[in-house]
Amino acid sequence: MTTQSDLAADATSVVSPASQPPDARARLLLAVGVIALALNLRPSIIAVSPMLNLIRHDTGMSTAVAGLLTTLPLLCFGLLAPIAPWLARRCGIESVLCATMVAVCVGTAIRDVPSMPALLGGTVVIGAGIAVANVLIPAIIKRDCGPDIGLMMGLYSMSLSIGAALAAGVTVPLARAAHTDWRTTLALWGWLAAAALVAWVPQLRRQRRRQPARTSPATQPVRGMWTHPVAWLVTAFMGLQSFGYYATTAYLPSILIDAGLSAGEAGWMLSLANLLGIVAAFVAPTLAVRAGRPGLLAVLVATLTASGLAGLIFAPASFAYGWILLLGLGQVAAFSLALLLIVLRTPDGRHAAQLSSMAQCCGYLLAAAGPLAIGAVRQASGGWSAPLVVLLILLVPQTVVGLGAARSRYAAPDSRISQN
């Protein structure tokens, strides 16, 4: 059984004192920088969804092409995740994270150009920047935050949820208030990334003071991660929870509309699930570290999610707010736990970057397939019960691999430290 002392060792071992922020001011600046980066990892992508009908009407694009605007980023997240550790070793993790925000700024500017290639190309540039940041932020938290890992992972996960909820709820009112067209409205999110660049400047200065030599262990690649059983447990948990989350998010409004709710109420339910997720995103990793029971959390998030899915099967309209509450808490807490497991199951930032790239590569590729697979089940069955049952069944292996990944041991194939 994993204990609190086990998790404390997870959080602090094999992190040299020189790699940790030396004082409270440095820790605060790092926290502000991480939050600023995290706030930018969803808005430029999610902001497209509430504007999608307007985009289609203005450009004349087909439904399939419109779907690319939401699936391209997920493909980028998966396909480009493996290059992130290499970039961090070559250029320094702080510099690469700065470059990811530059990519978001440039991508939003490209999308402001009135052409279809610019719209799709800018989306790819944004997705590439976010893909690399997704991988490296958990790694820098592992490297620099020591015993504050649970708190920092909670702040990181919460900021992701806040960014998503902000983009979903503010984009259309922002366009109306500013009297801008959809291109300019989407481009406005680039200013949030520009603000993150300013917040990240202290980390660039710190990198110049502590740049490791090219022969330092910190610059050497991790070998054997893709064959390590612990790494695959973490990856499987990331993939299964991502599959369920993105499949549910894609079809939740349709499920509720078919159950008799209005389109407006169904859309509000989806926003509510994201808002509830903000609380779960912060609380889940913090409690998991403090209580020393990540395995218990893996069971709890599956139970909450299963209850919400079962409710949607048997009584979707009569207690809709209750089912959304359970889903919002369960699925977002599962995502936070997946990120936390990446840092708990690695001994240092170098291994965390490699495991993060592996887990997110497989996880987001599986996530991109989720809406397609569940949509196919819906088409074949003619209703929503069968797709929801599939998602329920997948919670069983998710829980099993979550319990396995929660055991206190490292995915460190090239390190003499394999467990606490």
Side-chain angles (χ1 to χ4, degrees):
M1 179 71 68
T2 303
T3 66
Q4 188 167 1
S5 61
D6 291 333
L7 290 175
D10 270 346
T12 58
S13 58
V14 202
V15 181
S16 66
S19 71
Q20 296 180 13
D23 53 35
R25 179 176 180 272
R27 290 195 296 272
L28 177 61
L29 289 173
L30 178 60
V32 170
V34 167
I35 290 170
L37 294 181
L39 286 172
N40 281 276
L41 301 189
R42 296 298 179 266
S44 295
I45 295 169
I46 291 183
V48 171
S49 295
M51 308 290 286
L52 198 55
N53 287 338
L54 184 58
I55 294 172
R56 288 184 58 199
H57 180 269
D58 188 44
T59 61
M61 67 171 59
S62 65
T63 303
V65 175
L68 282 176
L69 292 176
T70 55
T71 56
L72 276 175
L74 286 178
L75 293 174
C76 288
F77 292 175
L79 295 174
L80 300 181
I83 72 171
W86 178 81
L87 288 173
R89 293 194 303 270
R90 294 281 297 179
C91 307
I93 191 170
E94 292 89 350
S95 294
V96 176
L97 284 170
C98 180
T100 64
M101 291 299 100
V102 173
V104 173
C105 290
V106 170
T108 55
I110 292 173
R111 290 199 305 199
D112 200 27
V113 176
S115 76
M116 185 67 67
L119 180 59
L120 296 175
T123 299
V124 170
V125 173
I126 292 169
I130 295 174
V132 174
N134 280 338
V135 171
L136 296 184
I137 293 178
I140 202 170
I141 291 174
K142 175 66 181 185
R143 189 195 70 183
D144 291 347
C145 292
D148 296 327
I149 277 180
L151 174 62
M152 282 302 302
M153 288 303 295
L155 290 172
Y156 170 51
S157 300
M158 181 182 69
S159 300
L160 287 173
S161 296
I162 290 174
L166 195 66
V170 170
T171 299
V172 172
L174 178 64
R176 291 171 180 167
H179 302 289
T180 56
D181 62 12
W182 63 266
R183 293 185 190 276
T184 304
T185 302
L186 293 181
L188 288 175
W189 288 105
W191 289 104
L192 188 62
L197 285 172
V198 175
W200 196 247
V201 167
Q203 306 311 314
L204 296 178
R205 293 172 179 166
R206 181 166 168 260
Q207 179 188 9
R208 287 195 291 269
R209 293 196 299 268
R210 54 180 295 278
Q211 186 70 38
R214 285 300 178 93
T215 56
S216 165
T219 65
Q220 302 307 305
V222 174
R223 305 191 185 281
M225 186 67 77
W226 284 80
T227 60
H228 199 283
V230 175
W232 275 110
L233 287 170
V234 175
T235 298
F237 186 80
M238 171 66 82
L240 287 168
Q241 66 82 26
S242 295
F243 183 100
Y245 173 78
Y246 282 97
T248 304
T249 299
Y251 295 112
L252 183 58
S254 298
I255 293 170
L256 295 174
I257 290 171
D258 288 353
L261 276 68
S262 68
E265 191 174 7
W268 158 242
M269 291 287 188
L270 182 58
S271 297
L272 178 62
N274 287 323
L275 290 171
L276 292 169
I278 294 173
V279 178
F282 176 73
V283 172
T286 305
L287 287 181
V289 172
R290 289 184 178 179
R293 302 291 296 275
L296 180 61
L297 184 59
V299 175
L300 177 60
V301 298
T303 302
L304 290 172
T305 304
S307 300
L309 292 173
L312 290 177
I313 292 174
F314 296 109
S318 59
F319 195 48
Y321 281 93
W323 313 138
I324 298 307
L325 170 67
L326 295 170
L327 278 175
L329 294 176
Q331 291 190 323
V332 176
F335 175 67
S336 296
L337 177 60
L339 294 177
L340 179 66
L341 288 172
I342 291 171
V343 299
L344 291 183
R345 298 285 73 83
T346 49
D348 51 39
R350 184 172 64 100
H351 287 82
Q354 193 66 42
L355 178 56
S356 183
S357 72
M358 174 181 171
Q360 298 199 47
C361 173
C362 298
Y364 281 115
L365 289 177
L366 192 58
L372 295 175
I374 294 302
V377 176
R378 164 69 171 83
Q379 184 70 27
S381 65
W384 289 111
S385 293
L388 291 171
V389 168
V390 170
L391 293 175
L392 268 173
I393 292 172
L394 289 176
L395 289 171
V396 175
Q398 175 185 308
T399 305
V400 171
V401 297
L403 289 170
R407 293 180 58 195
S408 185
R409 48 190 176 160
Y410 286 139
D414 65 347
S415 171
R416 283 179 292 180
I417 299 178
S418 60
Q419 61 184 33
N420 299 14

